[in-house]
Amino acid sequence: YSSLKKILKSQRDNEWKLEDFRRQEVEAWIDFAKGKGDKAVKRLRVVADKQDSNDPGGFNVPAREMLADMLLELHKPAQALTEYEAVLKIAPNRFNGLYGAVTAAEMAGDPGKAKTYYSQLQKNCVPQADRQELQRAKVIAAGSN
């Protein structure tokens, strides 16, 4: 009974953390939509840092990847690339993380990194995959822009 009680408490704690993370993510995106980009980035960075250190699981899109996406939207590609690279250390084969890193590297003027990430993205997918991002990956990985 005691161990079952501990398991249930742990599950409740994780559900609460997940709910809290999601609420904070939503609040950050609301700030972003209201034109409060700096406040949104600051708020989302706090969530990403907490999630990185104490991930209760269950995230479809990691907060750090959301932060990177937000920085791209704010035309801060170098900062976005740093965040995408942090995501890729935790989840090295995330399609959106890789494609975001490609986009950020291109926008930041680093075609070498863009090509590296495109190659990785292409390698992770089956040859028949036809997503638009992969079509572009084939061109970039071949060395033409």
Side-chain angles (χ1 to χ4, degrees):
Y1 174 77
S2 176
S3 53
L4 179 60
K5 191 174 178 180
K6 287 179 185 177
I7 291 170
L8 290 174
K9 182 183 180 330
S10 175
Q11 286 177 339
R12 277 194 311 270
D13 289 348
N14 283 345
E15 287 172 11
W16 179 84
K17 287 177 190 173
L18 182 59
E19 233 176 85
D20 188 50
F21 283 137
R22 287 185 174 147
R23 180 187 52 76
Q24 291 176 50
E25 289 168 348
V26 168
E27 289 173 356
W29 282 107
I30 289 170
D31 286 340
F32 177 81
K34 290 180 176 180
K36 301 175 183 176
D38 290 341
K39 182 178 180 183
V41 166
K42 184 176 180 181
R43 181 175 272 183
L44 198 50
R45 186 175 306 283
V46 168
V47 177
D49 290 343
K50 283 181 188 176
Q51 190 182 94
D52 287 351
S53 66
N54 188 17
D55 184 356
F59 292 97
N60 291 324
V61 179
R64 181 133 342 259
E65 188 173 287
M66 284 187 206
L67 174 60
D69 292 343
M70 186 180 285
L71 288 164
L72 267 186
E73 289 292 324
L74 292 168
H75 307 288
K76 297 179 179 183
Q79 291 176 30
L81 181 58
T82 299
E83 300 302 336
Y84 284 121
E85 290 175 334
V87 169
L88 292 170
K89 286 179 184 173
I90 297 167
N93 294 319
R94 274 188 63 79
F95 186 95
N96 291 339
L98 284 166
Y99 189 72
V102 167
T103 304
E106 285 182 324
M107 289 174 66
D110 192 337
K113 275 192 179 182
K115 185 175 178 179
T116 298
Y117 287 123
Y118 264 130
S119 295
Q120 183 64 39
L121 184 65
Q122 189 177 15
K123 186 169 46 170
N124 289 347
C125 298
V126 296
Q128 313 81 294
D130 64 351
R131 286 183 64 159
Q132 181 180 5
E133 298 93 332
L134 293 173
Q135 300 307 313
R136 184 153 165 72
K138 289 177 186 175
V139 173
I140 297 299
S144 53
N145 248 336

